[in-house]
PDB file of all heavy atoms in Angstrom:
ATOM      1  N   ARG A   1     -54.384  17.893 -56.840  1.00 97.00           N
ATOM      2  CA  ARG A   1     -54.035  19.320 -56.959  1.00 97.00           C
ATOM      3  C   ARG A   1     -52.599  19.489 -57.455  1.00 97.00           C
ATOM      4  O   ARG A   1     -52.332  20.321 -58.323  1.00 97.00           O
ATOM      5  CB  ARG A   1     -54.202  20.038 -55.624  1.00 97.00           C
ATOM      6  CG  ARG A   1     -55.600  20.535 -55.365  1.00 97.00           C
ATOM      7  CD  ARG A   1     -55.649  21.508 -54.183  1.00 97.00           C
ATOM      8  NE  ARG A   1     -55.160  20.943 -52.941  1.00 97.00           N
ATOM      9  CZ  ARG A   1     -55.904  20.296 -52.060  1.00 97.00           C
ATOM     10  NH1 ARG A   1     -57.192  20.113 -52.279  1.00 97.00           N
ATOM     11  NH2 ARG A   1     -55.386  19.817 -50.960  1.00 97.00           N
ATOM     12  N   ALA A   2     -51.670  18.714 -56.913  1.00 97.00           N
ATOM     13  CA  ALA A   2     -50.270  18.808 -57.325  1.00 97.00           C
ATOM     14  C   ALA A   2     -50.121  18.467 -58.796  1.00 97.00           C
ATOM     15  O   ALA A   2     -49.407  19.154 -59.539  1.00 97.00           O
ATOM     16  CB  ALA A   2     -49.400  17.885 -56.467  1.00 97.00           C
ATOM     17  N   TRP A   3     -50.799  17.415 -59.240  1.00 96.00           N
ATOM     18  CA  TRP A   3     -50.760  17.015 -60.650  1.00 96.00           C
ATOM     19  C   TRP A   3     -51.325  18.125 -61.525  1.00 96.00           C
ATOM     20  O   TRP A   3     -50.746  18.490 -62.546  1.00 96.00           O
ATOM     21  CB  TRP A   3     -51.550  15.717 -60.837  1.00 96.00           C
ATOM     22  CG  TRP A   3     -51.688  15.314 -62.260  1.00 96.00           C
ATOM     23  CD1 TRP A   3     -50.806  14.584 -62.994  1.00 96.00           C
ATOM     24  CD2 TRP A   3     -52.786  15.621 -63.133  1.00 96.00           C
ATOM     25  NE1 TRP A   3     -51.283  14.411 -64.277  1.00 96.00           N
ATOM     26  CE2 TRP A   3     -52.489  15.047 -64.383  1.00 96.00           C
ATOM     27  CE3 TRP A   3     -53.964  16.334 -62.976  1.00 96.00           C
ATOM     28  CZ2 TRP A   3     -53.349  15.168 -65.477  1.00 96.00           C
ATOM     29  CZ3 TRP A   3     -54.824  16.457 -64.058  1.00 96.00           C
ATOM     30  CH2 TRP A   3     -54.508  15.869 -65.283  1.00 96.00           C
ATOM     31  N   ALA A   4     -52.479  18.667 -61.133  1.00 97.00           N
ATOM     32  CA  ALA A   4     -53.135  19.713 -61.923  1.00 97.00           C
ATOM     33  C   ALA A   4     -52.264  20.964 -62.013  1.00 97.00           C
ATOM     34  O   ALA A   4     -52.102  21.540 -63.103  1.00 97.00           O
ATOM     35  CB  ALA A   4     -54.498  20.048 -61.315  1.00 97.00           C
ATOM     36  N   GLU A   5     -51.706  21.377 -60.890  1.00 97.00           N
ATOM     37  CA  GLU A   5     -50.858  22.573 -60.887  1.00 97.00           C
ATOM     38  C   GLU A   5     -49.638  22.386 -61.766  1.00 97.00           C
ATOM     39  O   GLU A   5     -49.220  23.315 -62.466  1.00 97.00           O
ATOM     40  CB  GLU A   5     -50.443  22.912 -59.457  1.00 97.00           C
ATOM     41  CG  GLU A   5     -51.596  23.472 -58.633  1.00 97.00           C
ATOM     42  CD  GLU A   5     -51.235  23.668 -57.166  1.00 97.00           C
ATOM     43  OE1 GLU A   5     -50.039  23.527 -56.791  1.00 97.00           O
ATOM     44  OE2 GLU A   5     -52.157  23.952 -56.385  1.00 97.00           O
ATOM     45  N   LYS A   6     -49.072  21.208 -61.750  1.00 97.00           N
ATOM     46  CA  LYS A   6     -47.903  20.896 -62.574  1.00 97.00           C
ATOM     47  C   LYS A   6     -48.207  21.100 -64.058  1.00 97.00           C
ATOM     48  O   LYS A   6     -47.353  21.508 -64.841  1.00 97.00           O
ATOM     49  CB  LYS A   6     -47.484  19.447 -62.300  1.00 97.00           C
ATOM     50  CG  LYS A   6     -46.200  19.016 -62.916  1.00 97.00           C
ATOM     51  CD  LYS A   6     -45.895  17.602 -62.440  1.00 97.00           C
ATOM     52  CE  LYS A   6     -44.677  17.042 -63.081  1.00 97.00           C
ATOM     53  NZ  LYS A   6     -44.397  15.682 -62.643  1.00 97.00           N
ATOM     54  N   LEU A   7     -49.444  20.829 -64.445  1.00 97.00           N
ATOM     55  CA  LEU A   7     -49.855  20.962 -65.843  1.00 97.00           C
ATOM     56  C   LEU A   7     -50.528  22.295 -66.144  1.00 97.00           C
ATOM     57  O   LEU A   7     -50.983  22.524 -67.261  1.00 97.00           O
ATOM     58  CB  LEU A   7     -50.789  19.813 -66.218  1.00 97.00           C
ATOM     59  CG  LEU A   7     -50.155  18.424 -66.163  1.00 97.00           C
ATOM     60  CD1 LEU A   7     -51.198  17.361 -66.431  1.00 97.00           C
ATOM     61  CD2 LEU A   7     -49.012  18.315 -67.167  1.00 97.00           C
ATOM     62  N   GLY A   8     -50.622  23.155 -65.130  1.00 97.00           N
ATOM     63  CA  GLY A   8     -51.234  24.465 -65.330  1.00 97.00           C
ATOM     64  C   GLY A   8     -52.749  24.458 -65.294  1.00 97.00           C
ATOM     65  O   GLY A   8     -53.392  25.371 -65.803  1.00 97.00           O
ATOM     66  N   HIS A   9     -53.335  23.443 -64.678  1.00 97.00           N
ATOM     67  CA  HIS A   9     -54.787  23.348 -64.551  1.00 97.00           C
ATOM     68  C   HIS A   9     -55.211  23.795 -63.156  1.00 97.00           C
ATOM     69  O   HIS A   9     -54.400  23.842 -62.236  1.00 97.00           O
ATOM     70  CB  HIS A   9     -55.265  21.919 -64.787  1.00 97.00           C
ATOM     71  CG  HIS A   9     -54.854  21.348 -66.098  1.00 97.00           C
ATOM     72  ND1 HIS A   9     -54.902  22.044 -67.281  1.00 97.00           N
ATOM     73  CD2 HIS A   9     -54.360  20.129 -66.420  1.00 97.00           C
ATOM     74  CE1 HIS A   9     -54.478  21.280 -68.268  1.00 97.00           C
ATOM     75  NE2 HIS A   9     -54.134  20.109 -67.772  1.00 97.00           N
ATOM     76  N   GLU A  10     -56.490  24.067 -63.003  1.00 97.00           N
ATOM     77  CA  GLU A  10     -57.025  24.493 -61.713  1.00 97.00           C
ATOM     78  C   GLU A  10     -58.123  23.527 -61.271  1.00 97.00           C
ATOM     79  O   GLU A  10     -59.045  23.239 -62.030  1.00 97.00           O
ATOM     80  CB  GLU A  10     -57.619  25.895 -61.841  1.00 97.00           C
ATOM     81  CG  GLU A  10     -58.232  26.411 -60.577  1.00 97.00           C
ATOM     82  CD  GLU A  10     -58.912  27.761 -60.762  1.00 97.00           C
ATOM     83  OE1 GLU A  10     -59.090  28.212 -61.899  1.00 97.00           O
ATOM     84  OE2 GLU A  10     -59.289  28.336 -59.728  1.00 97.00           O
ATOM     85  N   VAL A  11     -58.017  23.044 -60.036  1.00 98.00           N
ATOM     86  CA  VAL A  11     -59.071  22.205 -59.485  1.00 98.00           C
ATOM     87  C   VAL A  11     -60.154  23.146 -58.958  1.00 98.00           C
ATOM     88  O   VAL A  11     -59.911  23.942 -58.061  1.00 98.00           O
ATOM     89  CB  VAL A  11     -58.562  21.275 -58.372  1.00 98.00           C
ATOM     90  CG1 VAL A  11     -59.696  20.415 -57.831  1.00 98.00           C
ATOM     91  CG2 VAL A  11     -57.426  20.396 -58.881  1.00 98.00           C
ATOM     92  N   VAL A  12     -61.349  23.053 -59.541  1.00 97.00           N
ATOM     93  CA  VAL A  12     -62.431  23.978 -59.196  1.00 97.00           C
ATOM     94  C   VAL A  12     -63.585  23.309 -58.456  1.00 97.00           C
ATOM     95  O   VAL A  12     -64.476  23.991 -57.957  1.00 97.00           O
ATOM     96  CB  VAL A  12     -62.967  24.695 -60.453  1.00 97.00           C
ATOM     97  CG1 VAL A  12     -61.881  25.558 -61.083  1.00 97.00           C
ATOM     98  CG2 VAL A  12     -63.532  23.699 -61.452  1.00 97.00           C
ATOM     99  N   ALA A  13     -63.581  21.978 -58.404  1.00 96.00           N
ATOM    100  CA  ALA A  13     -64.675  21.269 -57.732  1.00 96.00           C
ATOM    101  C   ALA A  13     -64.136  19.980 -57.119  1.00 96.00           C
ATOM    102  O   ALA A  13     -63.263  19.324 -57.695  1.00 96.00           O
ATOM    103  CB  ALA A  13     -65.793  20.951 -58.717  1.00 96.00           C
ATOM    104  N   TYR A  14     -64.657  19.652 -55.946  1.00 97.00           N
ATOM    105  CA  TYR A  14     -64.247  18.446 -55.231  1.00 97.00           C
ATOM    106  C   TYR A  14     -65.486  17.617 -54.889  1.00 97.00           C
ATOM    107  O   TYR A  14     -66.471  18.158 -54.395  1.00 97.00           O
ATOM    108  CB  TYR A  14     -63.528  18.815 -53.935  1.00 97.00           C
ATOM    109  CG  TYR A  14     -62.224  19.539 -54.161  1.00 97.00           C
ATOM    110  CD1 TYR A  14     -62.193  20.925 -54.289  1.00 97.00           C
ATOM    111  CD2 TYR A  14     -61.031  18.844 -54.263  1.00 97.00           C
ATOM    112  CE1 TYR A  14     -60.998  21.599 -54.506  1.00 97.00           C
ATOM    113  CE2 TYR A  14     -59.833  19.501 -54.475  1.00 97.00           C
ATOM    114  CZ  TYR A  14     -59.827  20.873 -54.598  1.00 97.00           C
ATOM    115  OH  TYR A  14     -58.640  21.529 -54.812  1.00 97.00           O
ATOM    116  N   TYR A  15     -65.397  16.319 -55.146  1.00 95.00           N
ATOM    117  CA  TYR A  15     -66.477  15.388 -54.841  1.00 95.00           C
ATOM    118  C   TYR A  15     -65.864  14.201 -54.122  1.00 95.00           C
ATOM    119  O   TYR A  15     -64.776  13.746 -54.495  1.00 95.00           O
ATOM    120  CB  TYR A  15     -67.166  14.914 -56.122  1.00 95.00           C
ATOM    121  CG  TYR A  15     -67.677  16.042 -56.971  1.00 95.00           C
ATOM    122  CD1 TYR A  15     -66.856  16.644 -57.911  1.00 95.00           C
ATOM    123  CD2 TYR A  15     -68.982  16.512 -56.821  1.00 95.00           C
ATOM    124  CE1 TYR A  15     -67.327  17.689 -58.690  1.00 95.00           C
ATOM    125  CE2 TYR A  15     -69.447  17.550 -57.594  1.00 95.00           C
ATOM    126  CZ  TYR A  15     -68.621  18.139 -58.535  1.00 95.00           C
ATOM    127  OH  TYR A  15     -69.084  19.171 -59.297  1.00 95.00           O
ATOM    128  N   SER A  16     -66.558  13.674 -53.121  1.00 92.00           N
ATOM    129  CA  SER A  16     -65.990  12.539 -52.397  1.00 92.00           C
ATOM    130  C   SER A  16     -67.082  11.640 -51.832  1.00 92.00           C
ATOM    131  O   SER A  16     -68.225  12.059 -51.657  1.00 92.00           O
ATOM    132  CB  SER A  16     -65.088  13.019 -51.264  1.00 92.00           C
ATOM    133  OG  SER A  16     -65.840  13.722 -50.304  1.00 92.00           O
ATOM    134  N   ASP A  17     -66.675  10.419 -51.578  1.00 87.00           N
ATOM    135  CA  ASP A  17     -67.543   9.419 -50.961  1.00 87.00           C
ATOM    136  C   ASP A  17     -66.726   8.632 -49.946  1.00 87.00           C
ATOM    137  O   ASP A  17     -66.076   7.652 -50.286  1.00 87.00           O
ATOM    138  CB  ASP A  17     -68.122   8.472 -52.025  1.00 87.00           C
ATOM    139  CG  ASP A  17     -69.187   9.144 -52.859  1.00 87.00           C
ATOM    140  OD1 ASP A  17     -70.095   9.755 -52.278  1.00 87.00           O
ATOM    141  OD2 ASP A  17     -69.105   9.071 -54.097  1.00 87.00           O
ATOM    142  N   PRO A  18     -66.743   9.072 -48.677  1.00 80.00           N
ATOM    143  CA  PRO A  18     -66.005   8.345 -47.642  1.00 80.00           C
ATOM    144  C   PRO A  18     -66.710   7.047 -47.256  1.00 80.00           C
ATOM    145  O   PRO A  18     -67.931   6.998 -47.168  1.00 80.00           O
ATOM    146  CB  PRO A  18     -65.961   9.324 -46.474  1.00 80.00           C
ATOM    147  CG  PRO A  18     -67.091  10.259 -46.701  1.00 80.00           C
ATOM    148  CD  PRO A  18     -67.326  10.313 -48.186  1.00 80.00           C
ATOM    149  N   ALA A  19     -65.916   6.017 -47.056  1.00 67.00           N
ATOM    150  CA  ALA A  19     -66.404   4.702 -46.610  1.00 67.00           C
ATOM    151  C   ALA A  19     -67.531   4.182 -47.499  1.00 67.00           C
ATOM    152  O   ALA A  19     -68.537   3.691 -47.019  1.00 67.00           O
ATOM    153  CB  ALA A  19     -66.832   4.747 -45.152  1.00 67.00           C
ATOM    154  N   ARG A  20     -67.328   4.277 -48.813  1.00 62.00           N
ATOM    155  CA  ARG A  20     -68.315   3.790 -49.774  1.00 62.00           C
ATOM    156  C   ARG A  20     -67.679   2.761 -50.686  1.00 62.00           C
ATOM    157  O   ARG A  20     -66.601   2.968 -51.236  1.00 62.00           O
ATOM    158  CB  ARG A  20     -68.854   4.932 -50.646  1.00 62.00           C
ATOM    159  CG  ARG A  20     -69.606   5.986 -49.903  1.00 62.00           C
ATOM    160  CD  ARG A  20     -70.935   5.447 -49.453  1.00 62.00           C
ATOM    161  NE  ARG A  20     -71.673   6.471 -48.737  1.00 62.00           N
ATOM    162  CZ  ARG A  20     -72.966   6.521 -48.663  1.00 62.00           C
ATOM    163  NH1 ARG A  20     -73.692   5.602 -49.246  1.00 62.00           N
ATOM    164  NH2 ARG A  20     -73.558   7.465 -47.980  1.00 62.00           N
ATOM    165  N   SER A  21     -68.351   1.671 -50.893  1.00 60.00           N
ATOM    166  CA  SER A  21     -67.878   0.625 -51.781  1.00 60.00           C
ATOM    167  C   SER A  21     -67.891   1.110 -53.227  1.00 60.00           C
ATOM    168  O   SER A  21     -68.725   1.928 -53.613  1.00 60.00           O
ATOM    169  CB  SER A  21     -68.792  -0.604 -51.656  1.00 60.00           C
ATOM    170  OG  SER A  21     -68.501  -1.524 -52.678  1.00 60.00           O
ATOM    171  N   GLY A  22     -66.983   0.576 -54.012  1.00 61.00           N
ATOM    172  CA  GLY A  22     -66.951   0.897 -55.426  1.00 61.00           C
ATOM    173  C   GLY A  22     -67.873   0.027 -56.256  1.00 61.00           C
ATOM    174  O   GLY A  22     -67.973   0.193 -57.457  1.00 61.00           O
ATOM    175  N   LYS A  23     -68.571  -0.901 -55.611  1.00 63.00           N
ATOM    176  CA  LYS A  23     -69.438  -1.832 -56.334  1.00 63.00           C
ATOM    177  C   LYS A  23     -70.665  -1.171 -56.937  1.00 63.00           C
ATOM    178  O   LYS A  23     -71.169  -1.615 -57.950  1.00 63.00           O
ATOM    179  CB  LYS A  23     -69.875  -2.971 -55.423  1.00 63.00           C
ATOM    180  CG  LYS A  23     -68.757  -3.909 -55.059  1.00 63.00           C
ATOM    181  CD  LYS A  23     -69.274  -5.040 -54.199  1.00 63.00           C
ATOM    182  CE  LYS A  23     -68.151  -5.992 -53.840  1.00 63.00           C
ATOM    183  NZ  LYS A  23     -68.635  -7.128 -53.064  1.00 63.00           N
ATOM    184  N   SER A  24     -71.174  -0.136 -56.297  1.00 64.00           N
ATOM    185  CA  SER A  24     -72.422   0.488 -56.755  1.00 64.00           C
ATOM    186  C   SER A  24     -72.221   1.977 -57.000  1.00 64.00           C
ATOM    187  O   SER A  24     -71.738   2.698 -56.125  1.00 64.00           O
ATOM    188  CB  SER A  24     -73.528   0.304 -55.708  1.00 64.00           C
ATOM    189  OG  SER A  24     -74.665   1.056 -56.079  1.00 64.00           O
ATOM    190  N   ILE A  25     -72.602   2.428 -58.156  1.00 65.00           N
ATOM    191  CA  ILE A  25     -72.526   3.856 -58.459  1.00 65.00           C
ATOM    192  C   ILE A  25     -73.623   4.613 -57.724  1.00 65.00           C
ATOM    193  O   ILE A  25     -73.401   5.684 -57.187  1.00 65.00           O
ATOM    194  CB  ILE A  25     -72.632   4.088 -59.980  1.00 65.00           C
ATOM    195  CG1 ILE A  25     -71.381   3.566 -60.673  1.00 65.00           C
ATOM    196  CG2 ILE A  25     -72.840   5.555 -60.303  1.00 65.00           C
ATOM    197  CD1 ILE A  25     -71.428   3.645 -62.170  1.00 65.00           C
ATOM    198  N   THR A  26     -74.804   4.041 -57.664  1.00 67.00           N
ATOM    199  CA  THR A  26     -75.943   4.758 -57.092  1.00 67.00           C
ATOM    200  C   THR A  26     -75.838   4.948 -55.586  1.00 67.00           C
ATOM    201  O   THR A  26     -76.519   5.802 -55.035  1.00 67.00           O
ATOM    202  CB  THR A  26     -77.265   4.038 -57.415  1.00 67.00           C
ATOM    203  OG1 THR A  26     -77.217   2.699 -56.901  1.00 67.00           O
ATOM    204  CG2 THR A  26     -77.515   4.008 -58.908  1.00 67.00           C
ATOM    205  N   ARG A  27     -75.004   4.197 -54.925  1.00 78.00           N
ATOM    206  CA  ARG A  27     -74.832   4.356 -53.470  1.00 78.00           C
ATOM    207  C   ARG A  27     -73.679   5.295 -53.124  1.00 78.00           C
ATOM    208  O   ARG A  27     -73.198   5.297 -52.001  1.00 78.00           O
ATOM    209  CB  ARG A  27     -74.616   2.994 -52.820  1.00 78.00           C
ATOM    210  CG  ARG A  27     -75.853   2.142 -52.896  1.00 78.00           C
ATOM    211  CD  ARG A  27     -75.682   0.859 -52.152  1.00 78.00           C
ATOM    212  NE  ARG A  27     -76.862   0.025 -52.335  1.00 78.00           N
ATOM    213  CZ  ARG A  27     -76.878  -1.269 -52.175  1.00 78.00           C
ATOM    214  NH1 ARG A  27     -75.788  -1.898 -51.798  1.00 78.00           N
ATOM    215  NH2 ARG A  27     -77.978  -1.951 -52.368  1.00 78.00           N
ATOM    216  N   ARG A  28     -73.245   6.071 -54.106  1.00 84.00           N
ATOM    217  CA  ARG A  28     -72.172   7.040 -53.892  1.00 84.00           C
ATOM    218  C   ARG A  28     -72.687   8.438 -54.233  1.00 84.00           C
ATOM    219  O   ARG A  28     -72.636   8.882 -55.376  1.00 84.00           O
ATOM    220  CB  ARG A  28     -70.956   6.673 -54.736  1.00 84.00           C
ATOM    221  CG  ARG A  28     -70.422   5.304 -54.355  1.00 84.00           C
ATOM    222  CD  ARG A  28     -69.103   4.956 -54.957  1.00 84.00           C
ATOM    223  NE  ARG A  28     -69.043   5.063 -56.390  1.00 84.00           N
ATOM    224  CZ  ARG A  28     -68.022   4.634 -57.112  1.00 84.00           C
ATOM    225  NH1 ARG A  28     -67.006   4.038 -56.543  1.00 84.00           N
ATOM    226  NH2 ARG A  28     -68.017   4.779 -58.408  1.00 84.00           N
ATOM    227  N   PRO A  29     -73.204   9.148 -53.230  1.00 91.00           N
ATOM    228  CA  PRO A  29     -73.816  10.454 -53.493  1.00 91.00           C
ATOM    229  C   PRO A  29     -72.852  11.486 -54.084  1.00 91.00           C
ATOM    230  O   PRO A  29     -73.255  12.322 -54.883  1.00 91.00           O
ATOM    231  CB  PRO A  29     -74.357  10.899 -52.141  1.00 91.00           C
ATOM    232  CG  PRO A  29     -73.697  10.037 -51.137  1.00 91.00           C
ATOM    233  CD  PRO A  29     -73.300   8.771 -51.822  1.00 91.00           C
ATOM    234  N   GLY A  30     -71.589  11.424 -53.688  1.00 91.00           N
ATOM    235  CA  GLY A  30     -70.608  12.361 -54.255  1.00 91.00           C
ATOM    236  C   GLY A  30     -70.439  12.143 -55.749  1.00 91.00           C
ATOM    237  O   GLY A  30     -70.394  13.097 -56.532  1.00 91.00           O
ATOM    238  N   LEU A  31     -70.355  10.893 -56.150  1.00 91.00           N
ATOM    239  CA  LEU A  31     -70.227  10.572 -57.565  1.00 91.00           C
ATOM    240  C   LEU A  31     -71.491  10.939 -58.323  1.00 91.00           C
ATOM    241  O   LEU A  31     -71.437  11.462 -59.435  1.00 91.00           O
ATOM    242  CB  LEU A  31     -69.910   9.086 -57.756  1.00 91.00           C
ATOM    243  CG  LEU A  31     -69.754   8.616 -59.202  1.00 91.00           C
ATOM    244  CD1 LEU A  31     -68.652   9.381 -59.927  1.00 91.00           C
ATOM    245  CD2 LEU A  31     -69.496   7.126 -59.241  1.00 91.00           C
ATOM    246  N   MET A  32     -72.642  10.696 -57.727  1.00 91.00           N
ATOM    247  CA  MET A  32     -73.900  11.052 -58.386  1.00 91.00           C
ATOM    248  C   MET A  32     -73.995  12.564 -58.613  1.00 91.00           C
ATOM    249  O   MET A  32     -74.435  13.018 -59.670  1.00 91.00           O
ATOM    250  CB  MET A  32     -75.098  10.547 -57.576  1.00 91.00           C
ATOM    251  CG  MET A  32     -75.165   9.032 -57.437  1.00 91.00           C
ATOM    252  SD  MET A  32     -75.032   8.113 -58.999  1.00 91.00           S
ATOM    253  CE  MET A  32     -76.511   8.643 -59.820  1.00 91.00           C
ATOM    254  N   LYS A  33     -73.542  13.352 -57.632  1.00 94.00           N
ATOM    255  CA  LYS A  33     -73.534  14.815 -57.777  1.00 94.00           C
ATOM    256  C   LYS A  33     -72.573  15.230 -58.887  1.00 94.00           C
ATOM    257  O   LYS A  33     -72.890  16.095 -59.707  1.00 94.00           O
ATOM    258  CB  LYS A  33     -73.150  15.456 -56.440  1.00 94.00           C
ATOM    259  CG  LYS A  33     -73.115  16.953 -56.462  1.00 94.00           C
ATOM    260  CD  LYS A  33     -74.502  17.533 -56.562  1.00 94.00           C
ATOM    261  CE  LYS A  33     -74.459  19.040 -56.391  1.00 94.00           C
ATOM    262  NZ  LYS A  33     -75.728  19.663 -56.729  1.00 94.00           N
ATOM    263  N   LEU A  34     -71.396  14.612 -58.944  1.00 93.00           N
ATOM    264  CA  LEU A  34     -70.432  14.901 -59.995  1.00 93.00           C
ATOM    265  C   LEU A  34     -71.050  14.618 -61.366  1.00 93.00           C
ATOM    266  O   LEU A  34     -70.961  15.447 -62.283  1.00 93.00           O
ATOM    267  CB  LEU A  34     -69.167  14.055 -59.796  1.00 93.00           C
ATOM    268  CG  LEU A  34     -68.035  14.273 -60.785  1.00 93.00           C
ATOM    269  CD1 LEU A  34     -66.716  13.939 -60.128  1.00 93.00           C
ATOM    270  CD2 LEU A  34     -68.197  13.462 -62.039  1.00 93.00           C
ATOM    271  N   LEU A  35     -71.677  13.467 -61.522  1.00 92.00           N
ATOM    272  CA  LEU A  35     -72.288  13.107 -62.797  1.00 92.00           C
ATOM    273  C   LEU A  35     -73.414  14.068 -63.174  1.00 92.00           C
ATOM    274  O   LEU A  35     -73.567  14.435 -64.342  1.00 92.00           O
ATOM    275  CB  LEU A  35     -72.800  11.666 -62.750  1.00 92.00           C
ATOM    276  CG  LEU A  35     -71.716  10.592 -62.637  1.00 92.00           C
ATOM    277  CD1 LEU A  35     -72.353   9.226 -62.425  1.00 92.00           C
ATOM    278  CD2 LEU A  35     -70.814  10.599 -63.858  1.00 92.00           C
ATOM    279  N   GLU A  36     -74.181  14.476 -62.173  1.00 92.00           N
ATOM    280  CA  GLU A  36     -75.257  15.442 -62.420  1.00 92.00           C
ATOM    281  C   GLU A  36     -74.689  16.754 -62.946  1.00 92.00           C
ATOM    282  O   GLU A  36     -75.174  17.303 -63.937  1.00 92.00           O
ATOM    283  CB  GLU A  36     -76.021  15.681 -61.114  1.00 92.00           C
ATOM    284  CG  GLU A  36     -77.105  16.734 -61.212  1.00 92.00           C
ATOM    285  CD  GLU A  36     -77.726  17.017 -59.852  1.00 92.00           C
ATOM    286  OE1 GLU A  36     -77.892  16.089 -59.049  1.00 92.00           O
ATOM    287  OE2 GLU A  36     -78.020  18.206 -59.610  1.00 92.00           O
ATOM    288  N   GLU A  37     -73.647  17.251 -62.301  1.00 92.00           N
ATOM    289  CA  GLU A  37     -73.060  18.519 -62.708  1.00 92.00           C
ATOM    290  C   GLU A  37     -72.303  18.387 -64.028  1.00 92.00           C
ATOM    291  O   GLU A  37     -72.246  19.336 -64.803  1.00 92.00           O
ATOM    292  CB  GLU A  37     -72.190  19.083 -61.593  1.00 92.00           C
ATOM    293  CG  GLU A  37     -73.044  19.496 -60.412  1.00 92.00           C
ATOM    294  CD  GLU A  37     -72.294  20.190 -59.300  1.00 92.00           C
ATOM    295  OE1 GLU A  37     -71.090  20.464 -59.441  1.00 92.00           O
ATOM    296  OE2 GLU A  37     -72.941  20.462 -58.273  1.00 92.00           O
ATOM    297  N   ALA A  38     -71.747  17.212 -64.303  1.00 92.00           N
ATOM    298  CA  ALA A  38     -71.055  16.990 -65.580  1.00 92.00           C
ATOM    299  C   ALA A  38     -72.041  17.063 -66.743  1.00 92.00           C
ATOM    300  O   ALA A  38     -71.684  17.466 -67.843  1.00 92.00           O
ATOM    301  CB  ALA A  38     -70.348  15.642 -65.573  1.00 92.00           C
ATOM    302  N   GLY A  39     -73.290  16.688 -66.488  1.00 90.00           N
ATOM    303  CA  GLY A  39     -74.296  16.710 -67.530  1.00 90.00           C
ATOM    304  C   GLY A  39     -75.023  18.032 -67.669  1.00 90.00           C
ATOM    305  O   GLY A  39     -75.828  18.206 -68.585  1.00 90.00           O
ATOM    306  N   ALA A  40     -74.743  18.977 -66.781  1.00 87.00           N
ATOM    307  CA  ALA A  40     -75.414  20.279 -66.827  1.00 87.00           C
ATOM    308  C   ALA A  40     -74.933  21.087 -68.019  1.00 87.00           C
ATOM    309  O   ALA A  40     -73.796  20.948 -68.476  1.00 87.00           O
ATOM    310  CB  ALA A  40     -75.149  21.051 -65.532  1.00 87.00           C
ATOM    311  N   LYS A  41     -75.797  21.920 -68.516  1.00 87.00           N
ATOM    312  CA  LYS A  41     -75.464  22.745 -69.677  1.00 87.00           C
ATOM    313  C   LYS A  41     -74.269  23.656 -69.376  1.00 87.00           C
ATOM    314  O   LYS A  41     -73.395  23.828 -70.205  1.00 87.00           O
ATOM    315  CB  LYS A  41     -76.678  23.567 -70.090  1.00 87.00           C
ATOM    316  CG  LYS A  41     -76.510  24.271 -71.392  1.00 87.00           C
ATOM    317  CD  LYS A  41     -77.802  24.884 -71.865  1.00 87.00           C
ATOM    318  CE  LYS A  41     -77.623  25.447 -73.256  1.00 87.00           C
ATOM    319  NZ  LYS A  41     -78.876  25.950 -73.806  1.00 87.00           N
ATOM    320  N   LEU A  42     -74.252  24.231 -68.210  1.00 86.00           N
ATOM    321  CA  LEU A  42     -73.152  25.123 -67.813  1.00 86.00           C
ATOM    322  C   LEU A  42     -72.332  24.468 -66.704  1.00 86.00           C
ATOM    323  O   LEU A  42     -72.253  24.959 -65.582  1.00 86.00           O
ATOM    324  CB  LEU A  42     -73.700  26.471 -67.339  1.00 86.00           C
ATOM    325  CG  LEU A  42     -74.431  27.282 -68.397  1.00 86.00           C
ATOM    326  CD1 LEU A  42     -75.056  28.525 -67.781  1.00 86.00           C
ATOM    327  CD2 LEU A  42     -73.506  27.652 -69.542  1.00 86.00           C
ATOM    328  N   ARG A  43     -71.740  23.346 -66.997  1.00 86.00           N
ATOM    329  CA  ARG A  43     -71.002  22.635 -65.951  1.00 86.00           C
ATOM    330  C   ARG A  43     -69.798  23.446 -65.480  1.00 86.00           C
ATOM    331  O   ARG A  43     -69.195  24.179 -66.259  1.00 86.00           O
ATOM    332  CB  ARG A  43     -70.604  21.254 -66.418  1.00 86.00           C
ATOM    333  CG  ARG A  43     -69.549  21.241 -67.467  1.00 86.00           C
ATOM    334  CD  ARG A  43     -69.197  19.831 -67.845  1.00 86.00           C
ATOM    335  NE  ARG A  43     -68.359  19.903 -69.030  1.00 86.00           N
ATOM    336  CZ  ARG A  43     -68.147  18.918 -69.826  1.00 86.00           C
ATOM    337  NH1 ARG A  43     -68.689  17.763 -69.595  1.00 86.00           N
ATOM    338  NH2 ARG A  43     -67.374  19.066 -70.867  1.00 86.00           N
TER     339      ARG A  43
END
């Protein structure tokens, strides 16, 4: 948020995966939701 505000950007969505390994993308539901919404027509 501090970085974004410094550049005049707005953080509009937050995704997270607590206690999740970085080894697997599919075992991170927060990341999967982010990717799903990134691919939406009206993201």
Side-chain angles (χ1 to χ4, degrees):
R1 274 193 302 271
W3 174 86
E5 288 174 9
K6 188 175 176 181
L7 296 175
H9 304 317
E10 178 185 11
V11 180
V12 297
Y14 295 88
Y15 304 88
S16 64
D17 287 311
R20 296 288 180 153
S21 169
K23 291 182 180 183
S24 172
I25 291 175
T26 58
R27 292 185 184 158
R28 299 190 306 189
L31 180 58
M32 297 309 295
K33 180 71 172 169
L34 182 153
L35 293 173
E36 176 186 323
E37 292 186 5
K41 189 171 186 175
L42 296 174
R43 70 179 170 198

